[in-house]
Amino acid sequence: MGSRMEDRFMVRAEEEMPTVDDIGNGNKLKRKFDSQTVGNYIEIPGIASAIENENESSSSKFPKLMIDVRVRRSLSTDEELYSPNSQAMSRRESFMTMPELRTVIFHHDDCLKHRPSNTHQEAPERLSAIFRQLFNQNSDEFLSESVHIRNDVPCATRTMLEYAHDTSYVDFVYDLHRKVRHSESGKPIPFTPRVQQMQQKTKTLKEDNRCDTFFSSYTLKAALRSAGAVTKAIDSVMSGKYRNAFVAVRPPGHHAGLQGLLHNASSCGFCIFNNVAIGAKYALEEYPKIIERVAIVDFDVHHGNGTEEIVTEKFCDPEHIMFASIHLYDSNAHTTTNKKNRYEFYPGSGKEDIPEKNVLNVPIAPLWRKPRRSKRGISALSTSTNPDLLDQDGEDKMGAKGFRKQFSEKIIPALGKFKPNLILISAGFDSGKNDIGCCKWEAGANCSGMDLTPEDYKWVTLQLTTIAQLCEGKIVSVLEGGYGQYSRLGKKITISRESLAKNVCAHIHAL
């Protein structure tokens, strides 16, 4: 065993195949051998060889890095062979010699130009924080040899948009873009009431000051890039150039239904086009001989109601498309007639499966419904609306413990039975502990409904990469929600994106 490993390293050293050991901003790259140092310097821009731009000039502002590459001539002892350093070197050599094992990250700067209102949670700063964490040389998530960032992202065509949406809705979005672009103010406008007015012909519109989804002069371009990035990622994975992909884009998409806003929903949920649904249909249309079955797995804290509507009403193809969503569910709409006391965790759907359409919903009760313990035992949930979502001890189906249990017992077996040729992930990170997206203001405090950590996101990703062996590891993961935590800076309340960035990078690391 030892001699074979030694020969393998010696051969690669003789072929001068470099491996990445250290990364330093502004350092020169030097090749070193056991017996001598070769004084040649090589500059490698960007992360993992480059931020590749094949089709158009780059406007990306990402920093350029200098990568210190070293090659060892041989390894002589088992202790050296199995040391952490040698295992890391073996991993690095694998990525350098077999680049098809890498994860590709697709992004485009147009996604930063979609502007909501000021201090909004779904803001360009989400992506900025993720890439700062990714480029942080001191973080465990910085894997220069195993990830490749590209920005050669096309805009989705109208044909692609109509894979998932009604033609009338696509027309509406383009018309709204023209109106906003030529408006005098140039400010973002509330999107939901415009959809209600033009698409649903609703007389009672959502008040502008209560809207959370906005449309600005760059929103259409950002939305087209987001959907286009998913199709590009699918092409890259299917070509065999990369093992899997992460699509770092915004606006998100899983709440966008056939006509954008669903009739029973109170908001568009920051979404314009359904990126993942478009990708699913694109994969089936473009690769009919290779892809027969696509699975969409959604672990955003909110139910992917838009994706469910498209899958069940537009696609209607349960033999070829599966949709599974694990999310928070909390609603008392069916038990109270008092509007003031009515509560519904957005979007209020996803409690039941739709087996005839191959839809699996895994609702989880929020932590704020956790039973109170007393000397008499577990108290009854006087305000509980979901006793059927709790186990006997009231905890096994809540929080990170419940998430892991439900995911491994329900979603993974369902994927194994379906045997997809491609897995698409609606990757929402708003189940993170104290994330704005899973919080509820109650009794003067901000209560978190979920408490996932980077370790939990790493775990769920590894669950999916393991089951993805059924499809040779082909996964395309697409950013949905996840916003960060409220933070106090003096008397000012701000949003810290650090937790979001760490959760996302844990996911990328596991991919």
Side-chain angles (χ1 to χ4, degrees):
M1 178 70 178
S3 62
R4 287 197 298 271
M5 287 285 288
E6 183 174 323
D7 291 344
R8 182 163 63 85
F9 279 105
M10 290 180 67
V11 168
R12 289 184 181 170
E14 290 166 359
E15 294 173 349
E16 297 188 5
M17 294 301 295
T19 62
V20 179
D21 269 358
D22 300 310
I23 297 172
N25 192 6
N27 295 332
K28 293 292 182 180
L29 179 151
K30 186 188 297 183
R31 290 182 176 177
K32 291 185 178 180
F33 299 87
D34 285 355
S35 58
Q36 63 179 330
T37 299
V38 181
N40 60 326
Y41 295 88
I42 305 169
E43 179 177 333
I44 299 180
I47 177 173
S49 80
I51 296 177
E52 188 177 63
N53 185 359
E54 297 176 346
N55 300 328
E56 59 189 25
S57 61
S58 172
S59 60
S60 180
K61 305 302 187 295
F62 297 131
K64 287 191 175 182
L65 305 177
M66 305 296 294
I67 301 181
D68 181 8
V69 174
R70 304 173 185 178
V71 179
R72 291 181 62 176
R73 173 69 66 180
S74 66
L75 294 172
S76 58
T77 67
D78 285 345
E79 182 178 353
E80 283 182 290
L81 286 173
Y82 296 106
S83 69
N85 286 340
S86 66
Q87 290 177 4
M89 185 175 77
S90 177
R91 168 186 165 84
R92 290 163 181 161
E93 285 201 349
S94 295
F95 283 115
M96 295 295 287
T97 58
M98 294 180 286
E100 67 272 13
L101 295 180
R102 293 181 300 178
T103 294
V104 62
I105 301 175
F106 280 100
H107 166 72
H108 198 281
D109 282 354
D110 282 347
C111 294
L112 301 172
K113 297 175 182 178
H114 162 55
R115 299 296 308 188
S117 63
N118 293 332
T119 68
H120 196 276
Q121 61 200 58
E122 203 296 288
E125 288 73 23
R126 298 175 65 221
L127 296 181
S128 302
I130 291 169
F131 281 106
R132 274 198 305 271
Q133 182 71 19
L134 196 64
F135 281 112
N136 181 1
Q137 297 176 41
N138 297 318
S139 75
D140 292 335
E141 293 81 20
F142 186 81
L143 302 173
S144 65
E145 75 280 4
S146 62
V147 298
H148 191 189
I149 298 181
R150 294 173 56 172
N151 63 1
D152 53 319
V153 173
C155 288
T157 64
R158 286 187 63 107
T159 298
M160 294 175 184
L161 300 179
E162 291 177 15
Y163 281 154
H165 302 287
D166 289 349
T167 301
S168 62
Y169 175 68
V170 177
D171 290 340
F172 158 75
V173 174
Y174 274 85
D175 289 343
L176 184 62
H177 167 70
R178 285 188 283 269
K179 292 176 182 177
V180 172
R181 186 179 60 182
H182 294 109
S183 67
E184 295 181 359
S185 67
K187 294 181 179 179
I189 63 171
F191 184 64
T192 301
R194 271 67 182 180
V195 180
Q196 290 175 324
Q197 183 179 32
M198 300 302 297
Q199 289 299 108
Q200 299 181 353
K201 310 299 181 183
T202 306
K203 293 182 180 180
T204 304
L205 304 180
K206 188 169 185 177
E207 297 175 9
D208 285 1
N209 60 4
R210 295 182 61 246
C211 284
D212 53 19
T213 306
F214 291 85
F215 198 97
S216 65
S217 56
Y218 284 98
T219 295
L220 176 60
K221 196 67 172 290
L224 294 176
R225 294 286 189 193
S226 296
V230 177
T231 64
K232 182 72 173 182
I234 291 171
D235 290 339
S236 298
V237 170
M238 295 309 300
S239 71
K241 188 173 183 179
Y242 303 96
R243 179 172 176 80
N244 53 42
F246 180 72
V247 183
V249 293
R250 55 180 291 277
H254 72 149
H255 294 307
L258 296 174
Q259 295 189 357
L261 178 68
L262 277 70
H263 285 278
N264 59 351
S266 60
S267 168
C268 291
F270 315 144
C271 302
I272 309 298
F273 299 128
N274 197 308
N275 306 317
V276 166
I278 291 168
K281 189 65 173 177
Y282 174 84
L284 291 170
E285 292 289 329
E286 292 295 316
Y287 302 94
K289 295 182 179 180
I290 305 173
I291 301 178
E292 294 182 358
R293 294 173 301 279
V294 176
I296 303 172
V297 180
D298 189 330
F299 59 68
D300 190 281
V301 78
H302 303 94
H303 178 236
N305 57 336
T307 306
E308 181 178 281
E309 181 183 67
I310 292 167
V311 167
T312 58
E313 298 185 22
K314 180 93 170 179
F315 295 164
C316 300
D317 194 5
E319 292 185 3
H320 299 103
I321 295 182
M322 168 190 173
F323 175 59
S325 177
I326 183 168
H327 49 269
L328 281 192
Y329 178 86
D330 192 19
S331 175
N332 64 3
H334 61 290
T335 60
T336 180
T337 57
N338 189 333
K339 291 185 178 181
K340 291 184 179 180
N341 296 330
R342 185 173 295 178
Y343 175 76
E344 188 173 78
F345 185 77
Y346 179 80
S349 55
K351 187 180 181 182
E352 305 290 344
D353 296 334
I354 311 176
E356 67 275 13
K357 297 296 180 67
N358 209 3
V359 171
L360 172 63
N361 283 313
V362 184
I364 296 180
L367 288 170
W368 57 72
R369 296 298 186 191
K370 188 175 181 179
R372 297 186 180 91
R373 295 182 180 274
S374 66
K375 294 181 180 179
R376 297 179 180 179
I378 301 175
S379 63
L381 289 176
S382 58
T383 58
S384 174
T385 60
N386 306 295
D388 54 320
L389 299 185
L390 306 178
D391 277 353
Q392 188 173 3
D393 64 3
E395 296 181 10
D396 282 354
K397 291 187 179 179
M398 306 175 84
K401 181 180 179 182
F403 178 89
R404 291 194 181 203
K405 184 171 186 279
Q406 297 293 299
F407 198 91
S408 59
E409 292 182 359
K410 294 185 178 180
I411 292 181
I412 292 300
L415 288 171
K417 185 177 180 180
F418 184 62
K419 293 181 175 58
N421 305 116
L422 173 68
I423 296 175
L424 301 180
I425 305 176
S426 274
F429 298 88
D430 37 8
S431 285
K433 187 175 182 179
N434 294 323
D435 189 276
I436 296 169
C438 72
C439 286
K440 174 187 178 185
W441 189 261
E442 189 174 74
N446 209 19
C447 304
S448 184
M450 283 294 288
D451 58 354
L452 300 192
T453 65
E455 280 301 311
D456 295 311
Y457 282 108
K458 180 179 180 181
W459 176 87
V460 72
T461 308
L462 290 175
Q463 293 286 306
L464 290 168
T465 57
T466 300
I467 199 68
Q469 292 177 21
L470 293 169
C471 54
E472 300 179 335
K474 292 181 173 59
I475 293 177
V476 173
S477 178
V478 184
L479 181 65
E480 297 285 1
Y483 311 99
Q485 303 172 352
Y486 284 122
S487 176
R488 184 178 294 276
L489 185 63
K491 295 183 179 180
K492 187 178 180 181
I493 301 296
T494 61
I495 298 176
S496 170
R497 312 284 179 173
E498 182 179 357
S499 60
L500 163 66
K502 288 183 176 180
N503 288 335
V504 174
C505 287
H507 173 63
I508 295 172
H509 182 282
L511 284 174

